[in-house]
């Protein structure tokens, strides 16, 4: 069963303007769908919520529904998954996230501080979803990777030397649900992530 592709911005058609043109995410007319109490709260957190968008996908796949994005953000904050520091919001921290999803959502998550691309593919081929750290520019894989890490995507499968993933900041439909050769994915991949087993709870 295909995993629904949720984005960290409520209006997917505004992502290109936000990530490439400097548009204010707080101008999103759909911001209330995030569960934020104010437009300002949404604007402050949505840029940091790629991991929570991945969690929404996992929960929706298992249950057929998922909590709003900001509910997950604040739930994870309570476990130390995000920290507000003088330099801004820090996170996602993997170990507190794993504690949070186990305690609050009944998910068994394993932190992989070192994860080779072939190991990631093996986990995905074996039925686990992997929240993987990649460079945000994996949105445009036809261009050279400018680095590794800084953003989280949800790897949902692997076969034939390729991985399939959902990208919470994908600026096109093709970027939001993509399949790339493992060697191309690896150029953006930071070699770390979190694997989660979450079968569909629907018939």
């Amino acid at each position: 069963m295909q995993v629904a592709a949720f984005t960290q911005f409520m209006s997917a058609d505004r992502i290109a303007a936000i990530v490439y043109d400097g548009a204010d995410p707080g101008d999103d007319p759909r911001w209330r769908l995030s569960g934020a109490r104010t437009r300002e709260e949404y604007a402050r957190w949505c840029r940091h919520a790629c991991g929570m968008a991945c969690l929404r996908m996992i929960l929706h796949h298992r249950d057929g529904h998922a909590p709003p994005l900001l509910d997950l953000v604040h739930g994870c904050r309570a476990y130390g998954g995000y920290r507000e520091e003088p330099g801004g919001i820090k996170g996602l921290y993997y170990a507190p996230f794993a504690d949070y999803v186990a305690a609050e959502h009944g998910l068994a998550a394993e932190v992989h501080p070192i994860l080779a691309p072939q190991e990631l593919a093996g986990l995905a081929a074996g039925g686990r979803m992997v929240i993987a750290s990649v460079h945000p520019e994996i949105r445009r894989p036809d261009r050279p990777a400018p680095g590794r890490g800084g953003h989280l995507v949800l790897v949902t499968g692997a076969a034939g030397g390729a991985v399939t993933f959902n990208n919470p900041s994908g600026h096109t439909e093709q970027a939001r649900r993509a399949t790339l050769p493992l060697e191309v994915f690896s150029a953006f991949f930071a070699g770390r992530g979190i694997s989660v087993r979450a079968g569909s709870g629907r018939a």
Side-chain angles (χ1 to χ4, degrees):
M1 182 179 295
Q2 193 173 66
V3 179
F6 294 144
T7 60
Q8 65 196 87
F9 305 103
M10 293 300 98
S11 293
D13 60 356
R14 294 181 55 82
I15 292 176
I18 293 167
V19 300
Y20 292 122
D21 300 331
D24 182 354
D27 291 338
D28 191 332
R30 294 163 56 88
W31 68 268
R32 289 181 179 83
L33 296 178
S34 70
R37 290 162 292 188
T38 65
R39 185 185 295 271
E40 291 73 24
E41 181 187 30
Y42 169 73
R44 185 162 186 265
W45 283 98
C46 63
R47 290 185 184 274
H48 302 275
C50 48
M52 295 304 98
C54 291
L55 177 58
R56 287 195 77 216
M57 297 182 219
I58 294 168
L59 293 173
H60 183 273
H61 185 68
R62 185 189 68 180
D63 303 332
H65 56 85
L69 188 72
L70 267 290
D71 286 8
L72 296 176
V73 165
H74 294 312
C76 193
R77 283 178 67 199
Y79 282 78
Y82 293 98
R83 300 171 193 165
E84 297 186 73
E85 300 177 0
I89 297 168
K90 305 295 183 183
L92 181 69
Y93 293 101
Y94 291 2
F97 170 84
D99 292 341
Y100 163 61
V101 298
E104 303 295 337
H105 300 290
L107 292 172
E110 182 178 355
V111 174
H112 302 272
I114 300 175
L115 184 62
Q118 291 290 350
E119 293 176 305
L120 178 148
L123 289 167
R128 295 183 76 88
M129 297 189 201
V130 183
I131 300 173
S133 177
V134 299
H135 193 280
E137 276 301 286
I138 202 167
R139 289 185 291 258
R140 302 190 290 192
D142 54 316
R143 304 184 181 202
R148 291 182 168 93
H151 177 57
L152 296 170
V153 299
L154 183 67
V155 178
T156 59
V163 294
T164 298
F165 61 96
N166 291 353
N167 185 350
S169 72
H171 65 306
T172 65
E173 289 187 14
Q174 293 77 15
R176 286 190 282 279
R177 181 178 284 115
T179 298
L180 292 178
L182 184 59
E183 62 184 49
V184 175
F185 184 91
S186 299
F188 298 85
F189 178 46
R192 59 182 178 269
I194 307 162
S195 65
V196 180
R197 184 173 295 281
S200 173
R202 291 170 288 173

